[in-house]
Amino acid sequence: MKIAGLRAGAALTMLGAAMGVAQAQDTGAAASEATRAAQAATAAALPAEGTRDAEFSTRGFLATRADPVILNASGKPVWNLAAYDFVTGPAPDTVNPSLWRHMTHLKHHGLYQVTPNVWQVRGFDLSNMTIIRGQTGWIVIDPLTSVETAQAAMVLVNATLGQRPVSAVIYSHSHADHFGGVRGVIDAGEATAGRVAIIAPEGFMEEATSENVMAGGAMLRRAAYQFGTGMTPGATGQMGSGIGTAVSGGTLSLIAPNATIAATGETRVVDGVALEFQIVSGSEAPAEFNVFIAPEKTFLAAEIATCTLHNILTPRGAKVRDARAWAHYLDEAATRYGPQSDAVISSHCWPIFGREAGTAWLTAQRDNYRWLHDQTVRRMNRGETMHEIAEALEKSPPRINGEEWSTRGYYGTISHNAKAIYQFYLGWYDAVPANLHPHPPVERANRLVEALGGAQRTFELAETAFKRGDYRWSSDLLQNLVFAEPQNAAAKALLAQSYEQQGYQAESAIWRNQFLAAANDIRLGRAESSAAQSNDMVAAISTQDLLDSAATRFAPEQPQARNFTVAIDIPDRNEQAVLEVGEQVMIGRTGALPAKADVTIRGPRRALLALLFVKMPVSAVQAMPGVTIEGDLVALQALIDTLDPLPHGFDIVMP
Ligand SMILES: [Zn+2]
């Protein structure tokens, strides 16, 4: 059964950002005079280009795929290797010159040799696939996001290096771009039969499936802004995602690991290759490890060190990450593994070759997070608020090593990371009581526009700011005006232009995406977000999480169907549960059947999914093979009717 539209998996928020080929019309305007001046000032302040990144991002190139487009089974493109071919020559004035330079190194794709028995497929997805030659086959670290792109990567590996089976799969962490393509490199039977080892950090399955179960609807919508979903790559469009170009749009899969690693220093001989693991859970991902490939003297820094400052709090929304732990892990990596490594690689971006260079790079990455953490906390304890700290740190970036471009913010930024660290310790509130209980945005906007002298006066003030190139202020004023008067065409048009110029100036690819996505929404209306579903992911979510997720769609303001108990028996998973429907809340509890129930549902878990998530009528679910539903069916149907439908997106820059 297809559980169409069930957005319950961690990966699904990322898939919303998938790179399609049919895209929104490119409505990008030219760079304004102020933007051209800002780009020139940025260019003048950039460090020397250096030769390292150009050399390292292409070193070891062996081959790439002849046909740039990768299709899914129904012939729909899920990836285009040629999408960023236009990134060549000097930066256009609609792209921040530092971001443009970044993309000239990130756009490469193909199979690259790193050390004698280690290779990477890069540019076939947001992430990299790392390949190690084992005694009997290939050891694959991080099989990309989609089955289709992973399959294409393996075809390239086998065609270039010789046909061999996959002997082991390693997931570096619990984010979907590091496991979603696994069925493109092995099938589930090979893992359960023990023919293929699948190794992951402890907690991997729980984190892979639960991270976004509760907030998936909001994260999916916000991810479309972060990754620039539906935007065409181009000089006035999408310019990558900082840690890679885009997320592929294919099929997401998941096969559970059959071995986990719990502690730093643990070693395993995998298909004849000695591997040592460094646990870095609780930094970039809640379950994550780095891998030291001992015989190759190669260190995989997973995603805690890449070619950019990462996110302490990703703008699509997530729990805040721990910058202090992150810096400690990088310190351990730099002191314990850097000095033994001829190459340091990541699951994004390009390698750093040479012990000294690799150690220096890990150290620079460490210092970046350490500086951000310490200087934010230092200022916080002096009474500065998150906005003041972000502004101050952004204006005086760390002098770690002027030429270490990887400490710059192509993904995370100093600005939003400083706010994240403040939030990690103190939350959203700055202790100014006016900010403790202000009016919500639209009501505040109505009052603000009135206070400024009305809509016309507000527009004139915004126009003056826009002409001055003060886009932060023109966007602020105009966003308030649009919240107050959503039909004000002039305000909307100028707000789109203002956001667009902010996007053009942004060094961070995901800041650019967010400003340009907002401009598109204002001009074209918002596109419905479409969520791909993954049967593997849905199957891996715990029944408790599913019941809790369904409870977040319970609408107590609807009067029907209250105060009854549902017994749930799931023989195919040997699970029992109870759902207590009250006046205000719905309590799900797994473990045992209740002594007494008003309704009893017995059958495979997909029957429960069909009811609670697809909202299939009770009579239709009863007709599914192996399903019996007994008791007060009217009350059950009334409950299903009152659950909110699965979220299908919402307005962000419109009220
Ligand atoms: Zn990743």
Side-chain angles (χ1 to χ4, degrees):
M1 185 191 64
K2 287 269 178 197
I3 311 287
L6 173 54
R7 276 180 213 124
L12 305 189
T13 61
M14 301 200 59
L15 291 182
M19 175 187 224
V21 166
Q23 307 278 16
Q25 203 58 38
D26 196 348
T27 53
S32 68
E33 207 181 305
T35 293
R36 289 200 303 274
Q39 313 288 41
T42 301
L46 289 175
E49 168 59 45
T51 54
R52 190 194 80 177
D53 291 340
E55 207 261 298
F56 287 175
S57 63
T58 51
R59 188 193 278 194
F61 174 76
L62 295 175
T64 193
R65 199 182 136 86
D67 179 356
V69 179
I70 300 171
L71 305 173
N72 68 10
S74 48
K76 192 174 161 267
V78 301
W79 191 254
N80 181 2
L81 294 168
Y84 297 87
D85 281 356
F86 69 91
V87 183
T88 174
D93 52 20
T94 48
V95 180
N96 178 291
S98 176
L99 176 58
W100 181 263
R101 180 252 181 215
H102 188 63
M103 285 303 293
T104 62
H105 302 311
L106 211 48
K107 68 170 185 174
H108 301 301
H109 50 85
L111 177 66
Y112 298 80
Q113 185 160 28
V114 177
T115 44
N117 293 294
V118 178
W119 297 263
Q120 286 192 310
V121 178
R122 299 201 288 266
F124 274 50
D125 210 310
L126 184 71
S127 48
N128 299 335
M129 183 191 283
T130 299
I131 308 283
I132 308 168
R133 185 193 297 276
Q135 244 160 34
T136 66
W138 303 125
I139 301 163
V140 174
I141 308 183
D142 290 353
L144 308 182
T145 319
S146 298
V147 172
E148 294 85 349
T149 52
Q151 224 158 25
M154 277 322 291
V155 167
L156 178 65
V157 168
N158 283 315
T160 314
L161 304 176
Q163 187 79 33
R164 307 179 89 212
V166 170
S167 56
V169 172
I170 296 172
Y171 302 137
S172 71
H173 63 289
S174 52
H175 293 154
D177 52 323
H178 303 269
F179 64 77
V182 64
R183 282 184 194 267
V185 302
I186 57 162
D187 65 59
E190 293 178 283
T192 42
R195 282 195 296 275
V196 177
I198 305 187
I199 304 166
E202 193 173 63
F204 170 87
M205 274 308 268
E206 295 81 349
E207 299 300 343
T209 59
S210 74
E211 189 182 1
N212 303 352
V213 171
M214 296 306 142
M219 287 175 175
L220 177 76
R221 174 66 178 124
R222 295 166 56 126
Y225 267 46
Q226 172 164 331
F227 290 102
T229 305
M231 266 165 29
T232 315
T236 60
Q238 202 257 17
M239 278 298 297
S241 304
I243 50 168
T245 53
V247 187
S248 65
T251 313
L252 180 86
S253 63
L254 174 59
I255 303 174
N258 49 28
T260 56
I261 302 293
T264 294
E266 259 190 68
T267 56
R268 287 273 196 289
V269 177
V270 179
D271 192 16
V273 181
L275 303 177
E276 181 176 331
F277 298 88
Q278 181 201 5
I279 294 288
V280 297
S281 299
S283 55
E284 191 268 331
E288 182 160 358
F289 58 41
N290 294 338
V291 187
F292 179 59
I293 308 161
E296 293 295 306
K297 300 193 173 8
T298 300
F299 182 64
L300 173 88
E303 198 165 331
I304 69 162
T306 64
C307 54
T308 171
L309 173 61
H310 210 286
N311 286 312
I312 302 301
L313 178 52
T314 181
R316 72 168 161 85
K319 292 176 187 167
V320 191
R321 297 161 183 168
D322 184 345
R324 185 168 69 111
W326 200 319
H328 276 297
Y329 288 140
L330 280 165
D331 185 49
E332 187 175 56
T335 52
R336 182 166 173 165
Y337 299 105
Q340 328 176 42
S341 300
D342 294 334
V344 182
I345 55 178
S346 300
S347 291
H348 292 274
C349 310
W350 53 90
I352 304 294
F353 294 95
R355 292 183 188 200
E356 237 172 77
T359 305
W361 178 70
L362 289 167
T363 305
Q365 290 275 320
R366 173 200 68 191
D367 291 354
N368 211 22
Y369 293 94
R370 192 75 229 186
W371 175 86
L372 250 170
H373 174 272
D374 292 351
Q375 295 313 309
T376 300
V377 173
R378 176 176 167 230
R379 287 173 179 272
M380 193 171 87
N381 284 326
R382 293 196 317 210
E384 291 177 43
T385 64
M386 67 163 85
H387 297 288
E388 291 162 331
I389 297 170
E391 194 75 9
L393 296 191
E394 186 180 43
K395 285 193 172 134
S396 57
R399 304 190 65 81
I400 289 167
N401 170 356
E403 291 181 36
E404 188 48 84
W405 292 75
S406 70
T407 59
R408 301 179 74 94
Y410 302 106
Y411 194 44
T413 66
I414 288 174
S415 173
H416 74 249
N417 279 340
K419 292 176 187 175
I421 294 164
Y422 183 98
Q423 185 183 327
F424 182 84
Y425 288 106
L426 298 179
W428 59 270
Y429 179 45
D430 59 7
V432 176
N435 297 326
L436 185 59
H437 197 215
H439 290 288
V442 172
E443 287 167 37
R444 184 175 180 278
N446 286 329
R447 285 167 173 80
L448 188 72
V449 168
E450 190 190 0
L452 288 170
Q456 187 53 38
R457 179 69 189 136
T458 304
F459 183 83
E460 285 162 12
L461 290 168
E463 205 174 26
T464 304
F466 181 86
K467 284 180 181 153
R468 267 205 320 265
D470 185 359
Y471 302 123
R472 293 169 78 179
W473 185 229
S474 52
S475 292
D476 193 345
L477 284 173
L478 290 162
Q479 184 63 74
N480 276 288
L481 183 51
V482 169
F483 278 158
E485 293 191 356
Q487 306 307 327
N488 188 326
K492 282 162 66 179
L494 193 59
L495 177 56
Q497 289 180 52
S498 183
Y499 277 150
E500 191 168 54
Q501 297 301 323
Q502 283 187 281
Y504 291 166
Q505 291 184 24
E507 182 177 43
S508 163
I510 61 174
W511 274 39
R512 177 184 176 93
N513 289 341
Q514 290 171 87
F515 286 119
L516 297 186
N520 276 344
D521 269 12
I522 294 163
R523 286 175 177 149
L524 308 169
R526 92 179 139 81
E528 285 298 311
S529 39
S530 61
Q533 61 111 357
S534 161
N535 290 329
D536 281 349
M537 290 290 285
V538 173
I541 297 169
S542 75
T543 299
Q544 185 65 61
D545 280 356
L546 285 175
L547 293 176
D548 286 347
S549 172
T552 66
R553 293 173 23 246
F554 182 68
E557 69 275 13
Q558 306 249 25
Q560 304 96 319
R562 297 291 172 261
N563 300 313
F564 70 103
T565 300
V566 184
I568 301 162
D569 190 9
I570 310 170
D572 62 323
R573 297 170 69 104
N574 196 23
E575 284 184 310
Q576 284 86 39
V578 56
L579 200 57
E580 291 171 5
V581 184
E583 290 287 341
Q584 299 296 323
V585 294
M586 191 166 91
I587 305 289
R589 187 186 310 117
T590 51
L593 291 170
K596 196 163 124 319
D598 300 289
V599 187
T600 300
I601 304 169
R602 184 169 290 110
R605 197 175 73 161
R606 59 197 168 86
L608 189 67
L609 294 171
L611 268 178
L612 296 179
F613 291 88
V614 186
K615 296 186 62 167
M616 203 182 271
V618 174
S619 56
V621 178
Q622 268 182 313
M624 289 167 63
V627 178
T628 58
I629 304 180
E630 289 161 347
D632 189 349
L633 304 190
V634 175
L636 180 63
Q637 185 61 58
L639 168 69
I640 301 307
D641 290 345
T642 58
L643 290 179
D644 277 356
L646 289 169
H648 284 281
F650 44 78
D651 285 317
I652 294 175
V653 286
M654 297 303 290

